[in-house]
Structures are given as structure tokens and as C-alpha cells.
Amino acid sequence: MPAVVPSNFNYVCTLLGGFILTIGLLSHSIRDKLYVSESLPSLLFGMIFKSADLIRPSEYGTVTDITREFTRLVLGIQLTIAGSVLPMKYVRKEWLSILILLVPVMSSMWIISGLIIFLCIPELRFLDALIMAACVTPTDPVLSNSIVKGKFAEENLSQSLRNIISAESGANDGFGYPFLFLALYIYHDKNTQIARDWIVETLIYQIILSVVYGMIVGYAAMKILQFSRRKHLIDEESFYVFIFALAVFIIGTAGLLGTDDILACFVAGHFLNWDDWFQNNTKDNNLQACVDYLLNIFIFAWLGAVTPWSDFSTPEIPVWRYIVMGIAVLIFRRLPAVVLTYRLIPRIEDLREAIFSGFFGPIGVGAIFYLHVCLETMEDFGESETTKYVMKAIAPVIYFLMVSSVVVHGLSIPILEFGPLILQRMLKGDRKFAESRPSLPARSVSPLEMESNQVKAIGMRDLRFHADEDAIEMDILSDNLDNS
């Protein structure tokens, strides 16, 4: 006999499907008129229905494992796409701009973020704060894409600035490993073992190997795809999904090798479009944009559901500390470094572009990925009280900074665009209100008061008359003196 099956999966499908339908029907107004990307509504969706107990992430497995692999998959696909949309041989041509953004700017972001976390979160050593800061040092490619695409970006940002923001967010997301593991090795290793592990395991094996692997796979994929296209071996549907399959392949193979699969995906995507052939053949197809849109909704809805909202205010760390930390990180983490170095970055042309690119360095999916990489690594560090406290405190810190960035960066463009207009209309409305406000009704006056007022008026008139006579006499006297 048919029966209602109120499983959580059915609830999730109903709610998520309804949300996507609703936001899709309003997408033109939301994205192109209000300039709000799908990340913020999706995060709020996950938060609301998780608090209503209609979404239960723990029913689908270990939340930390699912979150780590989900963010890894989304980042891999997004970074492969980000690399493929850059102009031909872009990284080679703009190596100086990218190098400055990856080394001095990222180093400054790491240290400043660590200092802010150290000052705001009690009972942390500066080294502990640097471990946390390494997770939020890279700028997020998922949120960066929403900034450099769309109507607002096309009307207000130069193409060169949009390209350098995309290139930096793609490269530095994979470049977060050196900062994270340098802090972790200092935390755990001894003396010369720190330098050995960091240089050999991180710089050489994680970074250099992943770059070389991405170059080889990406360039080979370009040649094979061109050959298959030229010989009519591949159909249109398979051609357009090729880049997604390539991203998944690199995530798997680089993961098997134990190297930085995130950075490898970005490099491979760029080498897939090394001669602009791939982009020229896919620019009129919207499949990449559609997949990007759905991935953003899925990942931020999941993050909204798994964010530890209740941990943002505890007796040990009250909520005001998180708020101060979030404001300070968003203002000082990146903006000063970019403003101070923009004259050395050829693709950032003036102070206005430096301020924009310095402020819009969002914290998002990449920070959550590095958080879980950090937690997985620290599980092997023993069970000292310091390690337990760091592992307990790091998740609320990183999640709060992610939420702060999604909210602030998600609403900044609408505020910049509509704030002055709203203020102008409010002031104009106040003036109209003052002009249209009815005057107070006339007070009734007794005959005695009327007589008194008349006497006062006559007295004032006589005073003015005598004052005028005195002025005329003074003028005549002055004229007589002049004639004499």
C-alpha cells in the first residue's frame, strides 16, 4: 500500500530543488540587477533548513570526510575552468604580476591574518594562529569568479584586472600548501627536519611536481583533443564535457601521487587553452557556466548546513571576539599589501584597481578545504592539550571568516552600486516631507492680546521711522561737511 516516506533525502531533494527553481526564476533580477551571486542565498538556505532540522548532514556519513572531498572536487573543477578561460600563454606573459601576488602579497596576508587571530582568540600561541591563518590566506576561486563575471564586472572592471584576479585566485589556492605545512612542520618537527620536510615534501613534491604534472597532462590533453576534433572522432556533447572529465581525472591521479591536485588542475586547465584553441571553440557554449552555477549552489548550501553556528559564541570565546576578528581580517588581511605593491604589478593600473582587488580577496571554499587538510594532518600530532585546543578552536575560526567573507563580499557590490542612490532618495524624501508638512493651526487671540499686539506694532513702526529720520540727518550733515 502506498505510504508517505519522510526520509531526510526526500526532504533535501524537495527543498534544494525548490530553492534552485525559485532562485533560477529570479536569477536575472538577483544577479544582473541586484548584483548578488548565488553563494550568499545558498549559504543562508543551508543555515535555515539545518537549524529547522530538515537537513541532516550527519546522516550521509562522516561530515568532515564529505566536506573535505566535496570542496576538493569543486575546487578542482572550478580551477580547471579558471585556467582555461585565461588568454593564450597568460601565465608566461604575466609571470611578474603573478609572482608578486603569490610571494610577497600572500606572505603578508599570512602573517597579518595570523597576528589578528592571535590577538582575538585567547590562549593561542602565534604559531597556532599562523596554522589557522594559512587556511584563509588563499583567495577563493569560486567567489572570485562571481566578482569578475557578470554585468557589474563587464561595466566597471577592465579586462586586464579581471584576468589577473582570476589567475591569482587560481594559482594561490593551490599555493596555500607551503604556508600551511611550514607552520605545521615548525609545530611538530625538530630543527633541520623542518627544512628538509618543507623543502622536499612541500616545495618539490607538492608544488613543483604538481605544476609539471599539470603542464604535461594539460598540454597532452590539448593535442589529443585537437587531433580527435580534426579527425571527427569526438561529438559535440563529449567535446564540451571534456574539461570536466579532465578535472576529475587530474584530481584522482594527482591524489594517487600525493601531490597538490588543486594546483595541478589550474595548470592543466591553462595548458589546455595554451594556444586559445579550446576557448575559441567553447566560448559560445554555456555548459561551463551552468555547471559552475550548480556547483556554487550545492557547495554553499552544504557549507551553510555544516557550519558550526552554535560554536560562534561560547564562554571561552565570546561572539564579540569573532566579530572583531572578522572585521579586522577582511580589512587588513590583503588590502594594505596590494595597495603598497600595486606599482610593481603591471596588470593593476592605478590605485582604484588596487583598492578593488585588495578588498575583494574572498575567503570561501578553499579555506574550508585547507581546514580539513589541517585537521587530518594534526590527528597524527599526538593528544597534547595544546594540540587539542588548536583542533577545537580552528573550525569555528575558519568557518566564521568564511561566513563573514561571503556576507560582506556578497553585499559589497550592491551597496556600492545602490547605496548612494538610496541615500540621495532618502534625503530628497526628507526635503519633500518638510515642504509638505502642514503648518500649525492658528491660535485664537483675545481682544486684549490683539490690542497689545497692535500697540507693539505701532511702537516698532515709530522706532523704525525715527531711525530712518536720524539716518537722513546724518547723510545731510556728512554732505555739508564735504562741501565745506
Side-chain angles (χ1 to χ4, degrees):
M1 181 177 181
V4 176
V5 183
S7 69
N8 188 247
F9 182 73
N10 290 336
Y11 281 132
V12 170
C13 289
T14 301
L15 295 171
L16 186 59
F19 172 72
I20 296 175
L21 289 173
T22 303
I23 199 173
L25 292 171
L26 302 172
S27 58
H28 178 67
S29 298
I30 293 174
R31 301 179 70 179
D32 294 338
K33 293 184 178 181
L34 298 179
Y35 304 115
V36 176
S37 69
E38 61 276 0
S39 55
L40 178 56
S42 301
L43 186 75
L44 296 176
F45 165 83
M47 177 196 71
I48 293 169
F49 288 105
K50 171 63 168 60
S51 61
D53 200 32
L54 294 175
I55 298 177
R56 302 167 191 161
S58 58
E59 289 191 4
Y60 304 99
T62 306
V63 173
T64 55
D65 292 342
I66 296 175
T67 305
R68 183 182 64 250
E69 302 306 333
F70 192 10
T71 53
R72 178 184 168 211
L73 179 65
V74 170
L75 286 172
I77 294 175
Q78 294 273 18
L79 288 174
T80 307
I81 296 174
S84 70
V85 298
L86 292 175
M88 178 177 62
K89 303 177 182 178
Y90 183 82
V91 173
R92 190 176 74 180
K93 295 176 182 177
E94 304 298 340
W95 66 270
L96 179 59
S97 298
I98 296 173
L99 181 65
I100 294 173
L101 290 169
L102 290 183
V103 181
V105 172
M106 280 192 74
S107 299
S108 173
M109 292 165 63
W110 180 44
I111 295 172
I112 291 175
S113 300
L115 181 61
I116 294 171
I117 294 171
F118 171 71
L119 294 175
C120 293
I121 305 300
E123 300 182 24
L124 280 183
R125 301 174 301 170
F126 185 58
L127 179 59
D128 304 332
L130 285 177
I131 294 174
M132 299 181 183
C135 299
V136 298
T137 296
T139 56
D140 188 67
V142 180
L143 294 175
S144 294
N145 279 342
S146 64
I147 294 171
V148 300
K149 293 181 180 179
K151 182 180 177 182
F152 178 86
E154 293 173 357
E155 293 177 351
N156 296 277
L157 303 180
S158 64
Q159 186 62 48
S160 62
L161 181 63
R162 293 158 62 187
N163 286 336
I164 195 62
I165 291 176
S166 296
E168 183 206 2
S169 65
N172 74 7
D173 215 65
F175 220 70
Y177 274 96
F179 299 97
L180 175 61
F181 280 94
L182 177 59
L184 289 174
Y185 288 144
I186 295 174
Y187 184 95
H188 182 258
D189 291 352
K190 304 293 183 182
N191 301 326
T192 57
Q193 187 180 359
I194 297 173
R196 184 190 64 196
D197 288 347
W198 188 67
I199 293 173
V200 175
E201 295 184 11
T202 303
L203 291 184
I204 297 177
Y205 198 80
Q206 291 281 352
I207 302 302
I208 296 177
L209 178 61
S210 66
V211 171
V212 173
Y213 180 70
M215 291 169 60
I216 294 172
V217 174
Y219 192 78
M222 178 189 70
K223 291 298 183 181
I224 293 171
L225 186 61
Q226 289 175 347
F227 174 82
S228 182
R229 182 82 162 183
R230 188 167 57 251
K231 298 295 183 180
H232 304 288
L233 300 175
I234 187 171
D235 60 15
E236 289 296 313
E237 291 78 9
S238 300
F239 179 79
Y240 292 127
V241 302
F242 183 86
I243 190 170
F244 305 109
L246 178 65
V248 174
F249 175 79
I250 293 174
I251 292 171
T253 53
L256 289 173
L257 293 173
T259 190
D260 186 351
D261 48 357
I262 304 302
L263 184 57
C265 283
F266 173 74
V267 175
H270 187 45
F271 271 80
L272 178 65
N273 189 48
W274 190 245
D275 58 0
D276 262 354
W277 176 84
F278 182 78
Q279 186 62 26
N280 290 334
N281 282 271
T282 57
K283 62 183 179 182
D284 295 328
N285 184 272
N286 293 323
L287 180 60
Q288 292 182 16
C290 294
V291 173
D292 177 79
Y293 175 74
L294 287 175
L295 285 177
N296 287 351
I297 292 178
F298 291 150
I299 189 60
F300 281 103
W302 175 262
L303 294 181
V306 302
T307 295
W309 302 97
S310 59
D311 293 344
F312 292 160
S313 181
T314 62
E316 297 83 7
I317 310 176
V319 67
W320 69 265
R321 288 184 175 271
Y322 286 108
I323 294 173
V324 172
M325 177 189 66
I327 294 172
V329 166
L330 293 181
I331 294 175
F332 299 109
R333 159 179 165 263
R334 174 179 168 85
L335 181 59
V338 176
V339 170
L340 290 174
T341 59
Y342 84 93
R343 296 183 186 277
L344 305 175
I345 304 173
R347 292 300 97 195
I348 299 180
E349 297 177 357
D350 52 35
L351 182 60
R352 172 183 170 273
E353 291 191 349
I355 293 174
F356 183 89
S357 60
F359 177 74
F360 284 98
I363 301 168
V365 179
I368 306 304
F369 169 73
Y370 280 113
L371 161 66
H372 290 285
V373 171
C374 178
L375 290 174
E376 183 182 29
T377 305
M378 293 190 72
E379 288 177 356
D380 300 328
F381 285 4
E383 297 185 357
S384 66
E385 292 300 321
T386 303
T387 302
K388 288 181 180 178
Y389 182 73
V390 173
M391 294 182 69
K392 178 184 177 182
I394 189 173
V397 168
I398 304 306
Y399 271 102
F400 187 87
L401 291 175
M402 180 273 296
V403 172
S404 302
S405 179
V406 172
V407 173
V408 172
H409 291 128
L411 296 178
S412 294
I413 291 178
I415 291 173
L416 289 173
E417 188 72 12
F418 300 112
L421 180 61
I422 294 173
L423 182 61
Q424 182 181 3
R425 290 187 175 182
M426 289 175 62
L427 295 174
K428 186 177 180 180
D430 289 341
R431 287 195 299 269
K432 287 184 177 180
F433 175 77
E435 293 172 357
S436 63
R437 186 172 57 185
S439 58
L440 294 175
R443 186 172 61 89
S444 60
V445 181
S446 64
L448 184 60
E449 289 178 329
M450 291 179 62
E451 183 178 354
S452 175
N453 291 337
Q454 289 175 357
V455 171
K456 290 179 181 179
I458 293 171
M460 291 298 295
R461 186 177 60 193
D462 291 342
L463 287 174
R464 287 195 297 270
F465 176 76
H466 290 304
D468 292 339
E469 284 185 337
D470 292 339
I472 293 171
E473 290 178 358
M474 290 296 296
D475 290 340
I476 294 172
L477 180 59
S478 176
D479 291 340
N480 293 333
L481 290 174
D482 292 339
N483 293 331
S484 63

